[in-house]
Amino acid sequence: MSDGSTDRPADPDPPGPTDPPGPTAPSAAPAPTCRAFAAVDLGATSGRVIVGEVTGGPGSERVELTEVARFANEPVLLPPTRGDGPEVLTWDLPALWRGILDGLRDAVARFGRLAGVGIDSWAVDYGIVDDAGRLLAAPVCYRDARTTPVLARVFDRVPAPDQYAVNGLQVQPFTTAFQLLADPVVATRVASTPTDGGAAAPTARPPISDATGGGHPAGTPAGGARVLLLPDLLGAWLTGVERAELTNASTTGLLDAATRTWSTDLLARFGLPSDLLPDLVAPGELLGAVRPAIAARLGLERQATLPVWTVGSHDTASAVVAVPLSTPSAAYVSCGTWSLVGLELPEPVLTEASRAANVTNEAGVDGTVRYLKNVMGLWVLSEALRWYASVGEPVQLADALAAARAVRPLRTVVDIDDATLLPPGDMPGRLAVLARATGQPVPSDVGEVVRCILDSLALAYRRSVREVGTLAGREVDVVHVVGGGVHNADLMQLAADALGVPVVAGPAEGAALGNVLVQARAAGLLAGTLADLRRVVERSTTLVTFTPGATGGAGAAAWDDAETRAHGGAPTDPIDDPRPSRGRHPSATTQERP
């Protein structure tokens, strides 16, 4: 297994997407016996390469997953070379690239042949390449506070109702559009956009950000710069083909949710060039073949070419493919670093009530809509444990959960989506502040802190499921949970208690399994609709059902009381406050960095 730090010779710098590419389509289809697909599954804290093998005949197919590589994904603070400006929280993209190549090499060595590769990752973050396809700067992490200065101007220019009527997105300070408007490289690109006469001039609307110059490498041509979301950038490095996969594109704030095309209206009103973004591609298409030079480094001597397939490149889109929805009114939670809580719908919900509730409409596979809310997720728990370790009080997760079980249920609950919990830092201290602000007992030890986090997460699931169900006109009767969080049986039972409906946990590797299923169907090894793919999921995994009250947990009245303590009155309307939760995106001065 590769951890990104092997003894192999170092790979050269990542190629630019417009370096001479290999063939854009496989010159020879994989042999019928080749039934293994590599899923590159990147999360906000780690990346994996997982191989899924399709076994069984028609009607009895299964997918067996094998993790062949895991590598860390840790953002890095980069200081400016001049002045005393804030450090920027960036992704270590070369380390991710190395981890991916090492993982694919391990997959080839272990399985001999691969029928394809698909890439999924977290949403919204991007790289910018110049007109030669070379990366201009390290991609900035969505947890960086750079959008803070531009948010007010964004909503002054394009009010929240106008944005939602087109893109259908929940307001989040890190949405790609907001990041672009705070990006000095993009500001330089906007300033150099030529008019019809060829002279450099601003677009019809001036850029919202005034941060030109800083961060734009000297001598790099800004006029041909293009934005590629991270899985699209990695796919372009593998194949030499630049495209924007639809499910991730829908998180940018620049896609029309109804037509599933780039919104020329929003681009123009934001002052962004229409050619800043690549052409769109749906999941389940052939992106291209791995370039010959990279194929040689992967050890692909036994096959002529390795296809790269587009999948639901937003990891939640891939995870939802693997949700074995058991009823028409089932909801889902994709539970990992973030929790995505929602419904699968045939059409977006673009009503004013939906906008006021800050519910998002993101594109799913096969023309579906992921109608959901973002909940902070297990990030708060993992960061709390990391904090304890950093101050010399390390605790294992199993011990922390055992301590939490000894704490009175619902002793302290907070708004787990409060903006102060977004950046890295002292989670126990921030939870204490939130507890004091709502007049509740302050968590004072590991057990009380972890119990507060788990109870607050379950409460967030309760509120979000109720909200999306009401707005979509569905009475939710079961909730399916996929992702790494299904291993946390304490959280699963608390979710069932809070929701008052059964919670079906599994599969744990939802994103990787969905990634493989879409690849296998594109390659012709599987067939049918999403329902058919989900029957493969049911045959491939063990599902565990948690029923409300099974362990004597708190009842509905206690959860009602907890909701009142944590949230008080009605949530803020994002038209009045276009930021999440309590209306404050942490500034650079209040963020605590690792």
Side-chain angles (χ1 to χ4, degrees):
M1 180 184 298
S2 169
D3 62 1
S5 56
T6 69
D7 294 327
R8 298 185 176 106
D11 286 304
D13 291 337
T18 53
D19 284 353
T24 58
S27 56
T33 56
C34 184
R35 302 170 69 87
F37 297 84
V40 177
D41 179 33
L42 304 177
T45 58
S46 67
R48 290 95 51 77
V49 175
I50 296 175
V51 172
E53 290 185 280
V54 180
T55 64
S60 63
E61 300 98 337
R62 296 168 50 91
V63 174
E64 298 179 3
L65 297 180
T66 303
E67 181 180 296
V68 296
R70 179 183 289 264
F71 41 92
N73 182 22
E74 298 179 1
V76 180
L77 277 170
L78 296 181
T81 60
R82 302 174 188 174
D84 57 357
E87 296 177 306
V88 180
L89 192 64
T90 64
W91 294 110
D92 189 353
L93 199 57
L96 279 179
W97 176 244
R98 181 186 301 279
I100 291 167
L101 293 186
D102 285 350
L104 291 175
R105 189 157 42 217
D106 289 345
V108 171
R110 182 163 180 174
F111 291 88
R113 296 172 61 88
L114 297 174
V117 176
I119 304 172
D120 67 77
S121 82
W122 69 97
V124 304
D125 290 341
Y126 59 88
I128 302 178
V129 298
D130 65 15
D131 59 358
R134 301 291 183 176
L135 190 65
L136 289 176
V140 176
C141 175
Y142 63 87
R143 294 188 188 278
D144 188 82
R146 64 176 173 164
T147 61
T148 302
V150 306
L151 284 177
R153 281 178 281 173
V154 167
F155 285 93
D156 283 344
R157 176 174 291 186
V158 188
D162 291 11
Q163 293 186 44
Y164 195 86
V166 178
N167 63 32
L169 288 191
Q170 176 181 10
V171 172
Q172 296 279 13
F174 44 70
T175 296
T176 310
F178 304 158
Q179 291 197 55
L180 291 173
L181 296 169
D183 194 315
V185 179
V186 174
T188 305
R189 164 73 167 93
V190 170
S192 65
T193 299
T195 63
D196 291 341
T203 53
R205 301 295 300 274
I208 289 174
S209 173
D210 54 12
T212 57
H216 191 274
T220 55
R226 174 167 284 178
V227 168
L228 293 168
L229 294 171
L230 290 188
D232 300 325
L233 175 61
L234 295 165
W237 278 349
L238 284 175
T239 66
V241 180
E242 296 179 2
R243 294 290 185 271
E245 189 278 319
L246 185 66
T247 66
N248 221 4
S250 72
T251 71
T252 63
L254 299 171
L255 191 83
D256 187 310
T259 65
R260 296 190 168 218
T261 59
W262 293 122
S263 171
T264 54
D265 175 61
L266 286 180
L267 285 165
R269 294 179 70 180
F270 284 139
L272 295 171
S274 59
D275 62 350
L276 190 65
L277 303 166
D279 292 340
L280 293 161
V281 63
E285 299 290 339
L286 179 65
L287 178 65
V290 171
R291 304 175 195 229
I294 295 175
R297 298 209 298 274
L298 298 183
L300 287 170
E301 294 85 0
R302 294 180 59 186
Q303 62 187 94
T305 187
L306 176 58
V308 177
W309 305 99
T310 60
V311 297
S313 66
H314 184 193
D315 51 11
T316 306
S318 279
V320 172
V321 170
V323 176
L325 296 171
S326 53
T327 74
S329 295
Y332 61 80
V333 178
S334 179
C335 183
T337 302
W338 284 92
S339 287
L340 293 306
V341 183
L343 302 169
E344 185 172 80
L345 301 178
E347 301 288 342
V349 179
L350 302 176
T351 63
E352 173 59 19
S354 181
R355 184 205 66 80
N358 217 20
V359 184
T360 205
N361 295 266
E362 295 174 358
V365 173
D366 287 4
T368 58
V369 173
R370 293 175 286 125
Y371 186 60
L372 56 84
K373 296 202 77 167
N374 286 274
V375 174
M376 196 69 75
L378 289 169
W379 155 257
V380 183
L381 176 58
S382 62
E383 185 63 11
L385 297 183
R386 191 204 64 81
W387 177 260
Y388 281 122
S390 74
V391 297
E393 301 174 12
V395 59
Q396 296 299 312
L397 176 60
D399 296 331
L401 293 174
R405 291 185 207 112
V407 178
R408 175 169 56 86
L410 302 177
R411 174 182 181 269
T412 305
V413 287
V414 301
D415 179 1
I416 204 70
D417 292 321
D418 191 275
T420 61
L421 303 179
L422 178 64
D426 180 6
M427 289 299 175
R430 296 172 189 171
L431 293 170
V433 170
L434 294 175
R436 290 190 191 99
T438 51
Q440 299 181 78
V442 173
S444 60
D445 58 30
V446 170
E448 292 176 355
V449 166
V450 173
R451 183 73 198 214
C452 172
I453 293 170
L454 296 181
D455 283 345
S456 300
L457 268 174
L459 183 61
Y461 297 163
R462 182 182 198 254
R463 285 168 56 86
S464 297
V465 167
R466 182 181 65 224
E467 199 160 38
V468 297
T470 298
L471 291 166
R474 293 191 180 184
E475 186 173 347
V476 173
D477 52 8
V478 62
V479 175
H480 289 263
V481 183
V482 298
V486 304
H487 294 304
N488 191 326
D490 298 275
L491 178 58
M492 296 300 97
Q493 184 59 56
L494 286 170
D497 294 341
L499 290 159
V501 299
V503 166
V504 180
E509 297 292 353
L513 182 53
N515 179 320
V516 168
L517 289 170
V518 171
Q519 288 191 67
R521 187 177 63 174
L525 290 181
L526 296 175
T529 65
L530 283 176
D532 296 308
L533 296 184
R534 286 165 178 156
R535 280 189 278 275
V536 178
V537 174
E538 292 173 349
R539 293 191 291 267
S540 304
T541 190
T542 299
L543 306 178
V544 180
T545 300
F546 295 82
T547 57
T551 59
W559 286 100
D560 288 342
D561 174 72
E563 187 168 349
T564 299
R565 283 186 280 128
H567 296 274
T572 301
D573 186 335
I575 191 172
D576 299 320
D577 188 350
R579 286 154 291 183
S581 188
R582 294 175 183 266
R584 188 168 70 87
H585 181 45
S587 69
T589 57
T590 60
Q591 283 194 10
E592 288 134 315
R593 306 289 195 173

